[in-house]
Amino acid sequence: MRSVLSIFVFFGAGLPALGQEPPPAPATTPAPVLAPSVKDYPAFDGGTRVEFYAEQNVYRAYLANPADFTLLEETFVAGDFGGDLSFGGFAYSRNRGKAEPGPTEPEDKAGLDVSYTAGLGGRAFGAYRRDFLVVGGAFDFNRGAASFGYNGEAITVDPFFTLDEGYNDADLVSQKYSITAVGAAALEPHAVGLSFSLTPERIEGDYDFEYLPPEDEEGDHRVERLWGRREVKDYYVKGGYSLRPGEDFDVGGAIGLRILRSNLNWRDESAEEVPAVITKEGETGTLKMKGRAVTLGGSGRYKLLENLRAGGALAMEFIRGITLDWKGETWDLAGPFGEREIEDYRLAKGSESHYAFGGGLAFYPDEKTTLTFDYGYDRLSVSAKVYDEKRSLVDELEFSCYHTFTRFGVERWIIDELAAKVGWEQDLFSYPRNVFFGGLAYKFDGDWFINYDYRGGQLTVNNLSLFVPFDDVVKPASHRFTVVRYF
């Protein structure tokens, strides 16, 4: 079990604008919109958070280019809640055994208790529009948790799962939040914007093992404890520009600066008591990682035909000056004196480069139907120099990986107020390789918009950055509900 928990705890340590005229100043009393069209409500806005190259997700446009915040023609507030709603648990008892500390009687009693809550959270966001200025922001929070308790016989399912005979308990909690502030101005046909975001994430887990023989039996008393925590912080400032001379064409770009921090801490200790002998050993460790990144991005769309639009995007990120500093202590207190050893040195220096680009088409058979297709390319390169405690270079590492991905989606306004959508993604570096998503959107009147989205669960390994958030790697199945109120 210790190896399994270590994998969980340390696993992570390792577009834009729909072509249209610049928005006019809002009317004092907006007229109700009862007959939405493809132009009025671009495909796949809402909880799926899926963006197509030829389509514009207006609620997330600022993430690619803050100048695209000017696409929002009205003041609004919104909420987004959901995640893996299939949280639950499992319990098992044999002869009234319990999954809690105490004497171990594997041939007589056993207890098991498992519970989990995966990827549940929410988002609040909004914008205020006055003349050509738009300001707004968003707040996101996401939390996942799992616990495991067992007291009984040894279980071995090599090479992935091993439990020693005795009491085993493991807990894992991940939580992430993000704060974003955006400001933009539209000066026909130009738009500019600036955004700032702070995104901290914490993953913490611990594992306890104890073998305590029954009172009427002899045997050694063994204890082992493992604890680990990973904390990531991402400070991101971005400026952007967008040109929208008409409904047939738009192009834009953004440049950003990120300050990245990641700390990995753990403690591993064990003790054993047998007649006349007591042993205690363990270690603590801290790995601090720092990096600075420059990001560049650009995107555009062009109306090829009356019912066909093409789009494309390019994103680049260069993380330079990555440093990994190691500090640790080990001890073995067997015997009358015992011994301790402390290490404190720079473990490695490195850099990362990430390139992603692609293109897509959006086809409109009629004013209420959208068909979209994307094809993209993603490449990651990492280099590092590794040092020992004497500051001597011991290794030089080079790593790179690339993959292509495809995405297809369909949206149809069934009636004037109700739309249904469904889509499919394929990613070679994910498990499962194919993921389906879909949802419903309903427009009550000119003031209210409600959206439901579903997306299948996925484990992705295509981004192996030292600073990658845990929820960019482990993505449970997600049900999300979005409510928007316009003013």
Side-chain angles (χ1 to χ4, degrees):
M1 184 66 200
R2 171 181 170 185
S3 60
V4 175
L5 182 67
S6 300
I7 292 174
F8 280 124
V9 174
F10 305 132
F11 193 93
L15 272 157
L18 174 64
Q20 61 179 15
E21 294 290 340
T28 304
T29 305
V33 180
L34 298 179
S37 67
V38 168
K39 176 183 173 184
D40 294 326
Y41 303 105
F44 303 104
D45 268 346
T48 57
R49 307 187 181 188
V50 175
E51 299 176 39
F52 288 87
Y53 291 121
E55 284 289 314
Q56 177 61 62
N57 187 327
V58 296
Y59 298 136
R60 291 174 58 80
Y62 64 89
L63 295 180
N65 184 349
D68 289 332
F69 211 51
T70 56
L71 289 168
L72 298 161
E73 299 185 9
E74 298 179 77
T75 297
F76 79 92
V77 294
D80 179 339
F81 174 81
D84 185 353
L85 303 183
S86 58
F87 53 89
F90 175 82
Y92 167 79
S93 177
R94 175 185 175 187
N95 293 331
R96 298 183 180 181
K98 297 181 179 180
E100 59 185 33
T104 302
E105 302 175 272
E107 296 181 359
D108 184 26
K109 297 180 179 181
L112 173 66
D113 190 7
V114 180
S115 67
Y116 61 91
T117 302
L120 190 63
R123 180 167 65 121
F125 56 109
Y128 174 76
R129 177 96 190 205
R130 186 175 182 86
D131 298 327
F132 60 90
L133 294 175
V134 186
V135 294
F139 174 80
D140 293 72
F141 179 78
N142 197 74
R143 184 181 188 274
S147 66
F148 173 89
Y150 172 76
N151 195 348
E153 298 179 88
I155 299 176
T156 301
V157 184
D158 287 330
F160 303 108
F161 189 81
T162 300
L163 287 180
D164 292 329
E165 180 181 305
Y167 166 68
N168 295 264
D169 178 74
D171 296 282
L172 177 68
V173 176
S174 69
Q175 56 186 23
K176 173 186 175 183
Y177 67 88
S178 176
I179 301 173
T180 303
V182 192
L187 304 169
E188 185 177 348
H190 311 282
V192 293
L194 183 69
S195 67
F196 169 77
S197 65
L198 167 63
T199 307
E201 181 190 64
R202 173 184 287 188
I203 309 167
E204 186 166 343
D206 60 77
Y207 168 70
D208 292 326
F209 166 79
E210 181 177 17
Y211 177 77
L212 183 62
E215 295 181 358
D216 56 349
E217 295 184 13
E218 294 184 358
D220 59 333
H221 179 202
R222 293 181 291 124
V223 176
E224 183 173 353
R225 293 183 175 88
L226 172 66
W227 168 86
R229 180 174 64 205
R230 177 184 184 246
E231 295 179 285
V232 177
K233 290 184 179 180
D234 180 358
Y235 306 86
Y236 198 178
V237 178
K238 183 188 293 185
Y241 167 80
S242 183
L243 173 65
R244 296 192 288 270
E247 293 186 0
D248 296 342
F249 168 74
D250 72 85
V251 65
I255 181 171
L257 175 65
R258 303 174 71 182
I259 298 176
L260 300 162
R261 299 289 185 266
S262 178
N263 291 339
L264 182 63
N265 302 281
W266 71 89
R267 181 182 181 90
D268 183 6
E269 55 184 343
S270 62
E272 184 173 0
E273 297 181 21
V274 295
V277 178
I278 298 177
T279 62
K280 292 183 180 181
E281 60 183 6
E283 66 174 0
T284 61
T286 299
L287 185 63
K288 293 185 177 181
M289 293 168 279
K290 300 179 180 180
R292 299 180 305 274
V294 174
T295 64
L296 298 171
S299 65
R301 276 144 298 277
Y302 182 73
K303 191 175 182 181
L304 298 173
L305 301 171
E306 190 64 29
N307 60 351
L308 181 66
R309 186 168 62 242
L314 168 68
M316 298 180 289
E317 181 175 65
F318 308 97
I319 308 179
R320 297 292 181 260
I322 300 176
T323 59
L324 288 79
D325 294 315
W326 161 261
K327 184 176 183 179
E329 178 182 358
T330 60
W331 64 87
D332 186 347
L333 302 183
F337 302 106
E339 60 183 27
R340 292 179 179 269
E341 182 178 354
I342 297 177
E343 296 179 327
D344 188 355
Y345 61 95
R346 175 147 293 173
L347 178 63
K349 296 180 180 179
S351 63
E352 296 182 7
S353 299
H354 194 186
Y355 303 87
F357 61 87
L361 296 172
F363 176 63
Y364 311 99
D366 56 61
E367 67 176 7
K368 294 186 176 182
T369 305
T370 303
L371 305 176
T372 58
F373 174 77
D374 280 354
Y375 191 79
Y377 174 89
D378 198 311
R379 182 180 184 89
L380 175 69
S381 299
V382 180
S383 63
K385 293 183 178 180
V386 183
Y387 303 90
D388 61 15
E389 66 277 7
K390 299 178 182 179
R391 300 183 179 181
S392 300
L393 179 65
V394 296
D395 211 344
E396 293 189 67
L397 307 175
E398 297 286 342
F399 169 83
S400 65
C401 64
Y402 71 91
H403 75 292
T404 59
F405 64 89
T406 53
R407 180 184 297 131
F408 177 77
V410 180
E411 181 178 78
R412 171 70 178 176
W413 287 89
I414 302 170
I415 57 176
D416 286 345
E417 298 85 10
L418 178 65
K421 47 195 170 181
V422 65
W424 159 83
E425 287 184 341
Q426 184 179 68
D427 188 336
L428 178 63
F429 280 6
S430 299
Y431 180 82
R433 184 175 178 179
N434 297 285
V435 171
F436 293 89
F437 55 87
L440 297 171
Y442 188 80
K443 181 75 174 178
F444 280 101
D445 49 32
D447 296 333
W448 290 94
F449 179 79
I450 293 180
N451 193 93
Y452 161 76
D453 282 297
Y454 168 79
R455 180 184 177 87
Q458 196 174 38
L459 175 67
T460 62
V461 294
N462 55 306
N463 188 347
L464 299 179
S465 169
L466 292 171
F467 305 99
V468 63
F470 184 71
D471 64 2
D472 278 0
V473 177
V474 180
K475 302 177 180 179
S478 176
H479 302 265
R480 305 205 73 89
F481 301 86
T482 306
V483 180
V484 182
R485 172 69 163 92
Y486 297 101
F487 297 92

